[in-house]
Amino acid sequence: MKREIITIDQTKCDGCGDCVPGCPEGALQIIDGRARLVSDLFCDGLGACIGTCSKGAISIEERDAEPYDERRVMEEIIIKGGTNVIAAHLEHLKAHGEEEYLQQALAYLKEKGIENPINNDVQGNQSSEHEGCGCAGSVLMDFRKTGNDVEQGESTGQQKSELTQWPIQLHLVTPLAPCYRDSDLLLAADCTAFAIGAFHPAFMRGKSIAIACPKLDSGIDRYVEKLKSMIELANINTITVVIMEVPCCGGLVSIVNQALDKASRDVPVKKIVIGVRGDVLGER
């Protein structure tokens, strides 16, 4: 679609980075010493960043661009920012009269159990006493930095976990979480880890992970979009799909193929099929 979106004159940009915090959507990053628009999906075209550039390198142009995606923006802000960043984004939408996007943002916060930081200023959206506490199961944790203390030992009989992050359910993960960037992704059907005893060392070691059930999970279209984002924005290197031998499990491979068809880059995909008795039936 053709719409207004920012453009950056790379001959004028000196990479100072003043524009980055000036973008309430997180659409700008300093890459290779210059400011870059990381995704059309994150730029609302309102130009809040223009006044932050002392070199006059940023302007607005009308061109073909992917539609702005408020949900994707909120995913990014929640991971990289905090309460103050969320509030700044909501205030930005209010100031420009973007009521539709504002309501989408508020709905996303409610869906994730995150309190609206400007709820006193937005009519009809006050949080109830049961809201705003956040969902502990959705809090991003990166075990690559902290290490994992569950080591194999005689006293416990536990084997070292190869899990690199939390959460892992595909509906809960954020494609731009640091653990996915430049990683090898393991996409596993829910049942596979229960079918094969050595799942952690055999499949998870050195990989980021996401799990899903193609038969019972809802929102398959969102799965496709998340995987597309991992391919394009997180720059994942490979995808290993581990499924059960039952026919319904093949839907997970179909989801990956749909994401690859939509993505602007290609990545190698490996499919591993597990039997119901825990044996590896085939790899391709």
Side-chain angles (χ1 to χ4, degrees):
M1 62 175 293
K2 183 163 287 188
R3 68 180 180 92
E4 290 188 338
I5 193 168
I6 69 154
T7 183
I8 304 171
D9 187 340
Q10 298 296 312
T11 64
K12 295 180 179 180
C13 176
D14 63 0
C16 70
D18 289 345
C19 59
V20 175
C23 176
E25 288 71 44
L28 300 176
Q29 291 183 19
I30 301 300
I31 302 173
D32 296 332
R34 294 289 186 271
R36 314 283 182 177
L37 177 63
V38 295
S39 174
D40 291 354
L41 296 171
F42 294 159
C43 179
D44 60 10
L46 298 177
C49 56
I50 293 177
T52 66
C53 181
S54 60
K55 304 298 182 182
I58 305 176
S59 59
I60 294 178
E61 66 176 358
E62 185 175 356
R63 63 171 173 82
D64 288 327
E66 291 187 80
Y68 173 77
D69 190 329
E70 180 61 37
R71 290 185 62 89
R72 294 275 293 278
V73 168
M74 291 301 295
E75 287 181 357
E76 173 80 354
I77 288 176
I78 289 170
I79 289 298
K80 289 188 174 180
T83 301
N84 291 337
V85 179
I86 295 172
H89 174 64
L90 298 179
E91 294 286 4
H92 169 72
L93 295 177
K94 280 182 58 185
H96 287 83
E98 296 291 339
E99 185 63 24
E100 181 179 353
Y101 290 148
L102 178 60
Q103 293 307 317
Q104 290 178 18
L106 294 173
Y108 187 85
L109 290 177
K110 185 175 182 180
E111 175 184 323
K112 297 299 180 183
I114 300 173
E115 185 176 7
N116 169 15
I118 61 169
N119 59 352
N120 291 331
D121 300 320
V122 181
Q123 297 299 317
N125 288 284
Q126 284 84 357
S127 299
S128 74
E129 62 180 2
H130 300 293
E131 295 174 346
C133 60
C135 175
S138 300
V139 175
L140 178 65
M141 290 180 276
D142 191 339
F143 304 143
R144 298 171 306 165
K145 298 178 181 179
T146 60
N148 194 318
D149 296 330
V150 182
E151 300 285 349
Q152 185 174 1
E154 294 180 1
S155 60
T156 64
Q158 294 185 20
Q159 181 175 323
K160 181 181 182 295
S161 172
E162 300 293 342
L163 189 63
T164 59
Q165 94 271 352
W166 186 267
I168 60 175
Q169 210 287 330
L170 194 51
H171 271 310
L172 299 179
V173 304
T174 300
L176 292 178
C179 56
Y180 290 120
R181 290 175 189 153
D182 301 312
S183 73
D184 295 302
L185 175 66
L186 173 68
L187 181 61
D190 291 351
C191 299
T192 54
F194 295 94
I196 188 164
F199 189 82
H200 277 240
F203 300 108
M204 291 175 57
R205 183 165 295 165
K207 292 184 174 63
S208 59
I209 185 172
I211 64 172
C213 177
K215 180 177 182 179
L216 300 179
D217 292 354
S218 59
I220 297 300
D221 288 345
R222 291 182 60 192
Y223 281 173
V224 172
E225 291 302 318
K226 281 199 175 185
L227 289 171
K228 175 177 177 286
S229 296
M230 289 179 182
I231 294 168
E232 292 185 332
L233 303 180
N235 199 44
I236 58 174
N237 298 316
T238 64
I239 302 175
T240 300
V241 188
V242 184
I243 61 174
M244 297 299 298
E245 64 175 314
V246 294
C248 58
C249 232
L252 202 56
V253 179
S254 176
I255 291 170
V256 171
N257 289 334
Q258 291 178 57
L260 285 169
D261 287 342
K262 290 188 173 185
S264 59
R265 58 184 292 265
D266 198 11
V267 297
V269 176
K270 181 179 183 179
K271 182 179 78 171
I272 301 176
V273 180
I274 306 297
V276 294
R277 296 299 301 271
D279 49 335
V280 177
L281 299 183
E283 299 183 11
R284 180 170 61 86

